[in-house]
């Protein structure tokens, strides 16, 4: 059985998108929170 | 001697069917191979370790005796700031990412990282980030001198180095975030069939948890430094009290990043030590699942202790108590880990090759750093210790004899697998003993200096502190010189290829998928998924 990383591509892309979303949310979230405080 | 030497050529030697790129650019600049990128990270980390070390020696030379001798105070402050930034973001973190790149795919039976091209980008951002950061030393006004914590208003009172430093920090952050996404995507999606989550080696587990920490806190640092940038150049007042902002808020935001960052630099170290101790004890790891849960607990607690860095800024009593007790709570899962390492060694058939020596030194010396951390967690005591050399002693025990010793241990442990050659064991032992003795001469007296009240980040001091500073400086230079032995050992093993050929298993007690591959590991590994044999896992069969 060959191990073709491309067979995992959909899962990899989904994980990547979710994690990128978290990164952007945290970045923007802290900005907004700090803005409210200043 | 646990190492097996093998003299004949291996049937699967690295030049068999690897299709390795031949040109320098193709091999190293355009590479998407996890092993090559791992090597790039490790070499970069070593260079940064030497640059950051040179800065530390400037600091120790100036502090050899009281009075101003060698450097201007502004440059001294610049050295403390740059030493920290270079060591944290340039040496320790890239070293762990390099180890993850090399080992995680091999440990979970994957052919490569999940996102190989992003992997290349993650690395190649770093040299540019550090070129930008180090270039500030040659600018008018010099490099950043407000401390690595970049507290405003001091940090933004520098010249234009502020913009360079902030951009460099952004680039390092982007690199770390991409690296973390890659590691999570690899571990969650690329494991060989049968490699369940709770069968993964502890190093992989600790890196999975570390990567989540990175995802959660690097954007916070990016946000904080972006706000610094807009405060300096675009007229905002996030941290400017005169404009309605709050400088203490920066400290909260910074340490919300900064404390998990401390664990980002130590959790992979826990993973490394959890791989090495079972191998040289010839026993499975004691309490595998407890190790995993303890790591997760430490990661969770790291998010709710940040304000212990700022007890002295003024905080309600309830806040002080909360952060004090939450901080002390971290000693519980950490204690579980130390107990498990000691229990793994208990009645084991121990041998003391260089990786094991570094791992044992890690357990003992990191625990000293942990205990001084507990002392600092106590609010009324912290009022005395805050901003003194006691803090410097504490975090250098955690980061040098903790993180750096674990990286050294990992390099000695996996070097034969990477290069196919054994390193020079005699030289390795010399490196270990010299490092361990001198690092204690360097940092232990700093506890006494701190308790006596010597402040950190100060180029001059009261004559009463002279003796311990002299001892510390002698230890510092001796420690620095000891590392040249390590550099020579690496040249000897990797470049001159003078060691004996290593077997596939390398160490007699080694267990886990990476040891089933030939030494040196082929350029492309596990293109067919390996069969997972539970009894051959590093931590034994955990299914029953």
């Amino acid at each position: 059985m060959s191990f073709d990383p491309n067979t995992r591509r959909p899962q990899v892309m989904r994980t990547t998108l979710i994690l990128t979303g978290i990164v952007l949310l945290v970045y923007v979230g802290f900005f907004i929170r700090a803005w409210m405080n200043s | 001697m646990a190492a097996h030497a093998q003299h004949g050529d291996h049937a699967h030697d690295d030049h068999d069917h690897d299709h390795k790129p031949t040109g320098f650019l193709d091999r190293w600049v355009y590479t998407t191979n996890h092993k090559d990128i791992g090597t790039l990270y490790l070499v970069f980390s070593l260079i940064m370790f030497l640059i950051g070390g040179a800065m530390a020696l400037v600091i120790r030379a100036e502090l050899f005796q009281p009075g101003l001798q060698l450097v201007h105070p502004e440059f001294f402050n610049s050295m403390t700031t740059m030493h920290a930034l270079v060591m944290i973001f340039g040496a320790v973190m890239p070293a762990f990412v390099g180890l993850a790149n090399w080992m995680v795919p091999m440990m979970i039976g994957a052919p490569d990282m999940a996102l190989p091209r992003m992997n290349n980008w993650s690395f190649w951002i770093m040299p540019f980030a550090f070129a930008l950061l180090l270039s500030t030393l040659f600018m008018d006004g010099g490099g950043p001198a407000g401390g690595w914590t970049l507290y405003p208003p001091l940090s933004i009172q520098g010249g234009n180095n502020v913009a360079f430093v902030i951009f460099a920090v952004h680039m390092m952050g982007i690199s770390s975030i991409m690296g973390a996404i890659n590691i999570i995507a690899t571990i969650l999606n690329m494991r060989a069939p049968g490699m369940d989550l709770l069968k993964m080696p502890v190093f992989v587990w600790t890196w999975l948890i570390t990567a989540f920490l990175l995802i959660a806190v690097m954007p916070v640092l990016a946000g904080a430094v972006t706000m610094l940038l807009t405060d300096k150049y675009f007229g905002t007042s996030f941290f400017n009290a005169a404009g309605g902002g709050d400088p203490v808020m920066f400290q909260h935001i910074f340490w919300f990043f900064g404390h998990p960052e401390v664990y980002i630099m130590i959790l992979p170290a826990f993973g490394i030590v959890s791989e090495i101790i079972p191998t040289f004890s010839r026993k499975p790891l004691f309490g595998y699942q407890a190790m995993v849960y303890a790591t997760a607990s430490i990661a969770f607690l790291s998010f709710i202790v940040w304000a212990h860095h700022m007890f002295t800024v003024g905080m309600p009593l309830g806040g002080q108590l909360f952060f004090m007790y939450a901080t002390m709570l971290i000693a519980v899962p950490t204690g579980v880990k130390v107990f498990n390492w000691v229990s793994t060694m208990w009645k084991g058939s121990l041998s003391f090759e260089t990786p094991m020596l570094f791992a044992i030194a890690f357990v003992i010396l990191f625990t000293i750093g942990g205990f001084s951390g507990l002392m600092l967690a106590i609010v009324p005591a912290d009022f005395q210790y805050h901003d003194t050399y006691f803090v410097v002693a504490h975090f250098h025990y955690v980061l040098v004899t903790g993180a750096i010793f674990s990286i050294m241990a990992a390099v000695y442990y996996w070097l034969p697998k990477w290069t196919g050659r054994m390193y020079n064991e005699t030289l390795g032992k010399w490196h270990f003993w010299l490092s361990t003795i001198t690092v204690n001469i360097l940092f232990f007296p700093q506890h006494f200096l701190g308790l006596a009240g010597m402040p950190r980040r100060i180029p001059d001091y009261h004559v009463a502190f002279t003796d311990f500073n002299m001892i510390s400086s002698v230890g510092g230079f001796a420690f620095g010189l000891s590392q040249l032995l390590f550099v020579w050992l690496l040249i000897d093993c990797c470049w001159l290829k003078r060691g004996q050929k290593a077997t596939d298993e390398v160490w007699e007690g080694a267990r886990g998928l990476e040891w089933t591959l030939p030494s040196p590991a082929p350029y492309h590994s596990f293109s067919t998924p390996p069969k997972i044999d539970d009894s051959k896992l590093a931590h034994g069969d955990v299914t029953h």
Side-chain angles (χ1 to χ4, degrees):
Chain A
M1 183 173 60
S2 82
F3 191 116
D4 180 4
N6 288 325
T7 58
R8 312 279 170 94
R9 197 178 170 83
Q11 292 97 316
V12 168
M13 290 319 293
R14 191 177 57 206
T15 311
T16 307
L17 282 175
I18 291 171
L19 294 173
T20 309
I22 293 172
V23 168
L24 292 175
L25 272 178
V26 174
Y27 182 73
V28 175
F30 265 79
F31 235 100
I32 293 170
R33 181 67 188 82
W35 196 283
M36 285 159 59
N37 213 50
S38 67
Chain B
M1 175 73 184
H4 296 277
Q6 178 187 311
H7 296 282
D9 277 335
H10 197 284
H12 306 283
D13 222 337
D14 62 329
H15 46 71
D16 262 354
H17 30 71
D18 274 347
H19 310 295
K20 212 181 275 184
T22 45
F24 181 84
L25 282 180
D26 283 343
R27 174 77 195 273
W28 297 110
V29 181
Y30 307 138
T31 181
T32 53
N33 182 284
H34 73 101
K35 298 183 181 82
D36 281 351
I37 295 174
T39 304
L40 287 170
Y41 266 111
L42 289 167
V43 170
F44 178 80
S45 155
L46 181 65
I47 293 168
M48 286 294 132
F49 178 62
L50 298 175
I51 293 175
M55 292 173 179
L57 294 185
V58 172
I59 296 168
R60 281 319 321 167
E62 178 57 52
L63 293 175
F64 183 71
Q65 50 186 335
L68 296 174
Q69 272 80 229
L70 302 171
V71 293
H72 193 273
E74 178 74 10
F75 185 72
F76 181 92
N77 290 341
S78 201
M79 284 293 100
T80 58
T81 306
M82 292 289 259
H83 163 73
L85 289 170
V86 166
M87 286 302 203
I88 292 168
F89 294 105
V92 174
M93 289 173 67
F96 283 133
V97 180
L99 293 169
N101 257 296
W102 250 104
M103 301 316 299
V104 166
M106 281 162 52
M107 286 174 139
I108 61 172
D112 204 307
M113 298 293 279
L115 301 152
R117 271 172 279 198
M118 193 166 87
N119 205 12
N120 173 296
W121 201 24
S122 305
F123 172 75
W124 277 108
I125 287 178
M126 302 271 295
F128 293 96
F130 280 89
L132 210 59
L133 180 68
L134 294 171
S135 72
T136 60
L137 287 172
F138 304 98
M139 293 168 69
D140 283 346
W148 83 279
T149 49
L150 304 171
Y151 281 5
L154 188 60
S155 67
I156 53 174
Q157 286 167 359
N160 282 330
N161 69 46
V162 177
F164 280 63
V165 173
I166 288 173
F167 191 37
V169 170
H170 273 129
M171 287 164 77
M172 294 167 204
I174 290 168
S175 164
S176 295
I177 288 167
M178 290 197 302
I181 289 175
N182 208 350
I183 286 167
I184 295 172
T186 304
I187 297 173
L188 294 187
N189 301 309
M190 302 285 282
R191 297 190 314 279
M195 177 58 81
D196 302 343
L197 281 175
L198 273 173
K199 286 183 189 171
M200 296 192 310
V202 181
F203 178 68
V204 180
W205 256 113
T206 53
W207 242 116
L208 178 65
I209 293 167
T210 302
F212 274 108
L213 289 183
L214 278 166
I215 294 286
V217 303
M218 290 312 285
V220 179
L221 174 68
V225 296
T226 310
M227 291 178 226
L228 280 184
L229 190 76
T230 58
D231 269 11
K232 182 168 172 71
Y233 292 103
F234 301 105
T236 58
S237 297
F238 285 108
F239 310 124
N240 178 5
D246 180 6
V248 175
M249 186 173 66
F250 177 86
Q251 299 186 24
H252 280 291
I253 299 174
F254 180 86
W255 286 113
F256 188 80
F257 145 79
H259 200 79
E261 169 68 18
V262 173
Y263 292 97
I264 288 164
M265 290 190 286
I266 207 63
L267 293 184
F270 290 167
I272 290 164
V273 171
S274 303
E275 299 297 327
I276 292 174
I277 287 181
T279 295
F280 296 96
S281 304
R282 292 161 182 78
K283 276 176 66 192
L285 182 68
F286 183 90
Y288 165 79
Q289 296 198 7
M291 283 300 215
V292 173
Y293 296 135
T295 309
S297 307
I298 293 170
F300 169 74
L301 289 170
S302 75
F303 284 104
I304 56 167
V305 297
W306 77 88
H308 68 212
H309 294 271
M310 19 184 315
F311 282 144
T312 57
V313 300
M315 200 186 303
L317 182 64
Q320 291 182 341
L321 288 173
F322 172 82
F323 285 108
M324 175 170 80
Y325 288 126
T327 304
M328 289 176 161
L329 210 55
I330 296 179
V332 177
T334 312
V336 168
K337 284 186 164 294
V338 174
F339 180 86
N340 285 353
W341 291 323
V342 175
S343 300
T344 305
M345 288 188 270
W346 178 252
K347 293 193 173 176
S349 180
L350 302 181
S351 62
F352 299 97
E353 286 81 359
T354 312
M356 181 64 159
L357 290 173
F358 271 105
I360 294 173
F362 170 95
V363 175
I364 297 167
L365 299 174
F366 171 79
T367 305
I368 292 177
F371 279 138
S372 58
L374 273 176
M375 291 169 72
L376 286 161
I378 301 166
V379 176
D382 183 70
F383 275 70
Q384 172 71 20
Y385 306 149
H386 186 89
D387 248 344
T388 69
Y389 256 81
F390 191 81
V391 180
V392 178
H394 155 69
F395 67 71
H396 280 94
Y397 264 86
V398 175
L399 287 176
V400 180
T401 60
I404 302 253
F405 266 36
S406 80
I407 293 164
M408 300 283 185
V411 170
Y412 283 112
Y413 184 53
W414 284 312
L415 198 58
K417 178 55 65 187
W418 299 338
T419 62
R421 302 258 164 199
M422 297 306 294
Y423 59 86
N424 183 333
E425 184 66 38
T426 312
L427 211 55
K429 285 204 165 77
W430 268 101
H431 174 228
F432 167 76
W433 283 110
L434 284 173
S435 296
T436 304
I437 292 166
T438 55
V439 84
N440 283 290
I441 298 172
L442 166 58
F443 293 122
F444 209 80
Q446 296 183 3
H447 290 109
F448 306 133
L449 288 169
L451 292 175
M454 177 170 162
R456 60 191 287 210
R457 293 167 172 162
I458 295 286
D460 188 10
Y461 52 82
H462 191 277
V463 288
F465 303 133
T466 308
D467 290 350
F468 282 132
N469 268 301
M470 283 185 164
I471 294 169
S472 180
S473 290
V474 169
F477 276 86
F479 181 73
L481 289 174
S482 310
Q483 302 323 304
L484 298 181
L485 271 183
F486 181 59
V487 175
W488 169 246
L489 181 141
L490 291 175
I491 293 170
D492 186 59
C493 180
C494 305
W495 206 347
L496 304 178
K497 298 184 190 298
R498 287 212 287 224
Q500 287 182 308
K501 275 188 83 73
T503 59
D504 297 352
E505 195 191 15
V506 181
W507 310 106
E508 188 185 78
R511 297 284 179 273
L513 284 180
E514 75 268 35
W515 306 107
T516 64
L517 290 166
S519 301
Y523 198 61
H524 298 290
S525 39
F526 296 128
S527 44
T528 49
K531 209 168 152 32
I532 310 296
D533 179 354
D534 289 356
S535 63
K536 296 261 174 65
L537 296 174
H539 36 273
D541 187 350
V542 291
T543 52
H544 54 78

